[in-house]
Structure formats: structure tokens, C-alpha cells
């Protein structure tokens, strides 16, 4: 999920015109198969007291070095959910958050409470997989129950979650592990993600990127890269 990493711009939006179609897809989870991670964090931030900035949680994860270390440690599986919640609650309170919402117990559940499934994106996963394209999940984990309610084995041919594999996006190692689990080469793969810096990381090992903003545009661009019907015309990349 990686909500707090400072954004960067991908070097490319996909393959050049005329390139051979890609043959596999990796999907991110939070913000791609669900509603916006940023909006969920903003809704949580609004509960942190009358004097708290709703942008505080995301700002800390992007700019506050202790908070950044906590997030990296948790996403890479080195810190438990409890350790992350305890440390991040301390950082929130140190920056003006107050009240029950800023307590450690259940902190991640409150942060992620605003996330909802995106039915159109879940349908896109099924459509692509039904077309015979290998489909995998590559997600930076956040919490022990962040995927509760989603039957990942039935949705994907392979699943790589950062806390389980010990590497997080945009690390090259995370993409390589995901491709190995899916049984495909990076050069044959597309990554769908809502964070530009994660696509930059993917492109470094040859994976094409689709920057997700809404399901219709993502679907058209993904079909184009895969050579499936309904793809975006050349020059209308998403």
C-alpha cells in the first residue's frame, strides 16, 4: 500500500507503439482494487481532534523519519502490527493528535476503515484472467487483516505481500519475487499501481506500468498493453 512515500513520475506510461503485447499482469491492492488510500487516511485524520490537520497521518508517513522507518519496518515484516501501531500512535500524539482515535489499540483498523472494494477493478482482474493472462497481486502490506474479505487465492494465480516476502515496492526484489511466483519474465509483465514511484521501480527491471486513477481508463490501457479487445487507441495511454 505504501501510503506515505513521496511521489515520483514514471519514465514511461507503457510500451511503445508497435511493441509486442505483454502477457501477464501484477495488480496492487490498496487504491487499485479498493477505494483511495489517501481518502481513507484523510478520513481517519479528521477524527484526530479539532486542532489536528486531517493530512497529518499521510504527512508523517511521507516526511517524518521515525514514522517512515516504522512503515518500512512493518511493510517488510520486521515490525508487527502492534509495534507499528504503538510507534505511530506516539508520532501522531507528538504532532498534536488527541483522543481515542490516536490510541494504539486498533489504530490500523481505524485507518483502513474507509477502504471499500472497487467492483469495476475486481471485474477487470477476472476479465483479464479469464482471457488466459496470468494475474498476480503485489502489495505492500499494512496490518494483519488488511485483506480480510478478499479471497486472494481465487482472484489471483500468485500472491506476493511485502510483509511475507521481506521486500516492498519500489524495491526491485519485490517485483522479481512477484514475477517468479507468477512464472513470468518482467519484460512480459504489466504492473497496475496507483503510486507513480512504484511504477518507476517496476520499469527499472522491464515491467510496463499503468498508473491507476479510475477503472475505465485503466482497463483500456491494460487491454492495449495485453493486446486484448477494447484497448485504448495508440496515443491515448492511461
Amino acid at each position: 500500500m505504501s501510503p506515505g512515500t513521496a511521489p515520483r513520475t514514471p519514465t514511461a506510461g507503457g510500451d511503445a507503439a508497435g511493441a509486442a503485447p505483454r502477457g501477464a499482469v501484477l495488480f496492487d491492492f490498496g487504491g487499485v482494487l479498493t477505494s483511495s488510500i489517501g481518502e481513507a487516511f484523510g478520513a481517519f485524520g479528521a477524527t484526530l481532534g479539532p486542532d489536528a490537520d486531517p493530512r497529518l497521518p499521510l504527512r508523517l508517513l511521507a516526511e517524518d523519519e521515525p514514522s517512515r522507518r516504522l512503515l518500512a519496518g512493518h511493510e517488510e515484516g520486521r515490525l508487527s502490527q502492534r509495534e507499528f501501531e504503538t510507534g505511530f500512535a506516539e508520532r501522531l500524539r507528538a504532532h498534536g493528535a488527541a483522543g481515542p482515535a490516536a490510541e494504539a489499540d486498533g489504530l490500523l483498523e481505524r485507518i483502513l476503515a474507509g477502504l471499500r472494494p472497487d467492483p469495476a477493478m475486481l471485474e477487470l482482474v477476472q476479465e483479464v484472467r479469464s482471457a488466459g493472462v496470468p494475474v498476480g497481486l503485489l502489495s505492500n502490506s499494512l496490518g494483519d487483516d488488511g485483506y480480510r474479505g478478499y479471497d486472494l487465492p481465487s482472484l489471483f494465480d500468485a500472491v506476493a505481500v511485502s510483509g511475507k516476502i521481506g521486500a516492498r515496492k519500489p524495491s526491485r526484489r519485490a517485483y522479481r519475487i512477484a514475477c517468479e511466483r507468477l512464472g513470468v519474465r518482467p519484460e512480459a509483465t504489466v504492473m497496475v499501481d496507483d503510486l507513480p514511484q512504484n511504477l518507476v521501480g517496476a520499469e527499472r527491471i522491464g515491467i510496463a506500468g499503468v498508473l491507476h486513477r479510475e477503472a475505465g481508463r485503466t482497463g483500456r490501457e491494460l487491454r492495449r498493453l495485453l493486446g486484448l479487445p477494447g484497448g485504448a487507441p495508440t496515443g491515448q495511454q492511461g
Side-chain angles (χ1 to χ4, degrees):
M1 296 182 187
S2 290
T5 312
R8 294 178 57 188
T9 302
T11 56
D15 287 3
R22 300 276 172 145
V25 187
L26 294 172
F27 285 90
D28 179 33
F29 181 77
V32 172
L33 303 184
T34 75
S35 54
S36 166
I37 280 277
E39 290 177 4
F41 268 78
F44 166 72
T47 70
L48 294 175
D51 299 324
D53 181 353
R55 298 168 296 179
L56 176 64
L58 276 180
R59 181 165 57 80
L60 290 180
L61 292 174
E63 302 172 4
D64 177 59
E65 191 55 37
S67 298
R68 288 168 58 88
R69 287 197 298 268
L70 286 166
L71 179 64
H74 177 57
E75 288 186 335
E76 292 173 356
R78 294 181 284 105
L79 293 180
S80 68
Q81 175 172 327
R82 181 61 182 175
E83 289 170 321
F84 172 81
E85 289 177 322
T86 299
F88 193 48
E90 292 174 356
R91 299 309 298 161
L92 288 168
R93 292 194 298 271
H95 286 80
E103 297 299 320
D105 287 343
L107 180 61
L108 276 177
E109 184 174 352
R110 292 192 296 278
I111 290 174
L112 300 179
L115 285 184
R116 298 290 181 269
D118 185 334
M121 285 301 297
L122 292 170
E123 288 175 7
L124 179 61
V125 173
Q126 294 175 335
E127 173 194 332
V128 170
R129 195 178 186 197
S130 295
V133 176
V135 173
L137 178 78
L138 174 58
S139 173
N140 285 354
S141 51
L142 196 61
D144 297 336
D145 296 321
Y147 308 97
R148 183 174 56 201
Y150 297 83
D151 187 356
L152 299 185
S154 73
L155 283 169
F156 299 99
D157 297 299
V159 172
V161 174
S162 66
K164 302 293 186 182
I165 64 175
R168 65 176 188 148
K169 298 174 293 181
S171 162
R172 291 179 176 88
R173 182 166 172 261
Y175 303 108
R176 289 194 178 101
I177 291 172
C179 288
E180 288 170 2
R181 290 192 172 189
L182 195 55
V184 297
R185 295 178 298 105
E187 298 82 2
T189 305
V190 182
M191 177 84 218
V192 180
D193 206 292
D194 62 322
L195 296 181
Q197 67 270 16
N198 288 342
L199 299 183
V200 171
E203 288 168 1
R204 286 174 180 157
I205 66 166
I207 297 173
V210 174
L211 182 62
H212 174 68
R213 289 294 177 260
E214 59 88 21
R217 189 172 185 180
T218 294
R220 290 189 295 273
E221 175 60 5
L222 183 58
R223 294 182 194 102
R224 183 188 71 81
L225 289 168
L226 296 172
L228 297 177
T234 301
Q236 297 183 16
Q237 300 176 9

